[in-house]
Amino acid sequence: MAVAGQHRRHHRRHRTRSDSTVGIVKAQDLGSTAREADPPEPGMVRIGSGAGFAGDRLDPALELAQLGHLDFLVFELLGERTVANAQKARLNDPSVGFDPTLLERIRLTAPHCAANGTRIITNGGAANPIAAGRAVAGVLDDLGIDMPVGVVTGDDVLEQVHATNPLTWEESLPVDNARGRLVSANAYLGATGIRRALDEGARIVITGRVADPSLYVGALSHSFSWPDDDTELIGQATVIGHLLECGGQVTGGYFADPTTKPVAGLDRLGFPYADVAGNGDAIIGKLSGTGGAVTVGTCTEQLLYEVADPGAYITPDVVADFTGTVLREVGTDRIAVSGGKGAVAPADLKVTLGYLGGWEAEGQITYAGPRALGRAQLAADIVVRRLERIHGFRESELSVEFIGAGASFRGLSDVADPPEVRLRVAGGAQSRSRASAIGTEVEALYTNGPAGGGGARTSVRESLSIKSCSLPRTLTEVSVIHADELIDQEEVPDVREV
């Protein structure tokens, strides 16, 4: 692993203590009823989940930063499409491409984290972690806070993918032969860069595409000096990371059903944290006074979330084995977790590929009242026939959905006489003007289609498709750059063609 700028620091201006406290937001300012947690037991590391995706709420992380006595606060902000979209944005402006909510999350939580000795880890660097490092350093400077920032790079493997031209998982075609223009390739890195940044003194670590559990594995392996090849400890750390990575899902958010699985206080859902011992055993909990619940049921559902094989959950750090995991209630909103293990990490890393190619468009309109489904079906027939005859579309290029009449079941379950149906017609084309015809024809139904249509909406966007491939991890090079070194560097433009 190459390490850039090890330990070198520039002096930055610092505001006075009184100046730095101006504008600090507290959880109570947002109506929080969260109560301060007891500190973790000696020898335990407390790590909290501040976000489970890019659109996640801000206030639960503020509660944890202020009241949680955390050692680490983690913001997991990336999905596969998220990082590809960020790469797309970076093509047009090399100063962007990181998560647009990152700076606000830092502004809210960093004052409390600095005061409480909490370190922050995030993959919010997305497609441009170096620019994110610069921007976060600027926010800290404005706040008068001294929290050294470490930036982990190496996930951008577009050059290596072009050089090796591996097969896509979806089509078994060489990457360069797949439909569209390849504009991004980001490998799922593991925990090693995060651990190195923390070892070198970073108090905020910003990465690009890192596997979700690895954000937590890096913090724990640093804290306890666990060897990277200890598959049992890293496997258990991956269990903990997987339980925490989706934020409010494990405190009852994604679990809740008002009839079969009621969960109280979802409007003030608290996010989880884990107290972890040196042997990897952990207790998942949340702040008292917040909504939601941490139970064996919520933890079990999250443990199995997006897991194809519980005995072989492949990550860059370990092939984790969840089958021996034991979940045990040890108090209200406190679940003990033990028994995770694993096998040697894979030789190849997963890579997310982003392809630009054409335009996607859609139009939607609602029909309500008697025979709503019949009128929506007639409207769809009108739109499809016109798109075929006038605009040259083939019916197979178009997607038609009747939302409210079983659309989610793809025809396997229909509602006989729904009181309301929303028609959605979508499709793609190589030119923006041709694609926009889809929305134009749907909107024209206001006066030219069946009776009673309303609420029409249209959209057109450049098509970005996501595929995957594998790349030998030996072709990746992880670097840690300390953000103080980036302040005086010129921004290097991205040379990829738009």
Side-chain angles (χ1 to χ4, degrees), residues 13 21 91 93 123 258 379:
R13 63 181 176 85
T21 60
L91 291 174
D93 182 351
N123 57 10

Side-chain angles (χ1 to χ4, degrees), residues 293-312:
V294 181
T295 67
V296 170
T298 65
C299 290
T300 299
E301 285 202 7
Q302 177 57 31
L303 185 67
L304 299 176
Y305 178 71
E306 293 184 333
V307 174
D309 182 355

Side-chain angles (χ1 to χ4, degrees), residues 55-423:
D56 221 335
R57 299 169 179 169
L58 301 177
D59 50 300
L62 176 59
E63 292 173 333
L64 284 173
Q66 179 187 339
L67 304 170
H69 291 283
L70 300 179
D71 294 294
F72 297 95
L73 177 62
V74 176
F75 293 114
E76 196 290 289
L77 300 174
L78 288 190
E80 294 196 338
R81 185 165 292 276
T82 313
V83 72
N85 278 323
Q87 288 281 19
K88 180 178 165 185
R90 184 183 172 196
L91 291 174
N92 298 311
D93 182 351
S95 69
V96 301
F98 57 90
D99 186 87
T101 70
L102 176 61
L103 300 186
E104 184 61 22
R105 295 181 196 277
I106 297 296
R107 286 192 185 96
L108 280 177
T109 61
H112 301 288
C113 290
N116 296 331
T118 302
R119 286 168 283 187
I120 297 172
I121 301 172
T122 180
N123 57 10
N128 203 346
I130 290 177
R134 283 196 187 93
V136 167
V139 168
L140 296 173
D141 197 38
D142 289 342
L143 293 171
I145 293 173
D146 186 12
M147 292 183 74
V149 178
V151 176
V152 178
T153 65
D155 64 297
D156 189 331
V157 292
L158 184 62
E159 182 178 334
Q160 295 94 312
V161 166
H162 276 311
T164 57
N165 203 20
L167 300 181
T168 63
W169 291 1
E170 294 80 4
E171 303 157 321
S172 295
L173 290 174
V175 160
D176 287 339
N177 292 2
R179 182 177 178 181
R181 181 167 60 88
L182 180 64
V183 295
S184 67
N186 291 84
Y188 279 74
L189 300 182
T192 54
I194 296 169
R195 176 174 180 166
R196 177 64 66 90
L198 293 170
D199 288 347
E200 292 176 5
R203 301 202 66 81
I204 298 180
V205 180
I206 299 170
T207 78
R209 176 72 274 181
V210 167
D212 300 351
S214 299
L215 298 168
Y216 297 87
V217 174
L220 294 173
S221 63
H222 159 78
S223 298
F224 296 118
S225 299
W226 290 340
D228 291 340
D229 60 356
D230 189 323
T231 56
E232 185 165 329
L233 286 172
I234 301 302
Q236 171 67 3
T238 299
V239 169
I240 296 165
H242 183 64
L243 287 171
L244 296 177
E245 70 185 49
C246 291
Q249 289 193 183
V250 84
T251 52
Y254 203 61
F255 172 89
D257 181 281
T259 301
T260 61
K261 297 179 295 182
V263 177
L266 289 176
D267 63 297
R268 50 188 176 86
L269 185 68
F271 282 5
Y273 62 81
D275 287 342
V276 186
N279 66 355
D281 288 350
I283 296 176
I284 307 294
K286 70 178 186 68
L287 294 177
S288 299
T290 60
V294 181
T295 67
V296 170
T298 65
C299 290
T300 299
E301 285 202 7
Q302 177 57 31
L303 185 67
L304 299 176
Y305 178 71
E306 293 184 333
V307 174
D309 182 355
Y313 182 66
I314 301 173
T315 81
D317 304 305
V318 70
V319 178
D321 183 354
F322 296 169
T323 58
T325 301
V326 176
L327 303 174
R328 181 169 51 90
E329 184 177 343
V330 293
T332 303
D333 294 320
R334 291 177 64 79
I335 300 298
V337 183
S338 61
K341 54 186 179 180
V344 176
D348 291 343
L349 299 178
K350 177 183 178 181
V351 177
T352 295
L353 309 165
Y355 288 87
L356 284 178
W359 298 83
E360 298 173 350
E362 69 172 50
Q364 297 187 26
I365 191 169
T366 296
Y367 294 89
R371 297 169 300 284
L373 178 57
R375 285 181 284 130
Q377 289 170 331
L378 175 56
D381 184 67
I382 294 169
V383 169
V384 170
R385 297 289 81 76
R386 288 185 60 82
L387 288 172
E388 288 178 321
R389 187 175 73 253
I390 298 175
H391 304 285
F393 283 89
R394 296 189 301 273
E395 187 171 355
S396 60
E397 296 177 303
L398 302 170
S399 171
V400 176
E401 294 179 291
F402 301 101
I403 302 169
S408 297
F409 296 94
R410 299 295 188 264
L412 298 178
S413 177
D414 295 324
V415 179
D417 188 22
E420 179 181 271
V421 175
R422 187 159 180 84
L423 169 65

Side-chain angles (χ1 to χ4, degrees), residues 8-24:
R8 186 165 69 88
R9 294 288 182 271
H10 292 300
H11 293 291
R12 295 193 319 210
R13 63 181 176 85
H14 293 291
R15 300 185 178 185
T16 64
R17 177 67 179 173
S18 60
D19 208 13
S20 68
T21 60
V22 174
I24 293 178

Side-chain angles (χ1 to χ4, degrees), residues 439-449:
T440 298
E441 291 295 346
V442 170
E443 192 167 29
L445 293 169
Y446 268 133
T447 55
N448 297 285

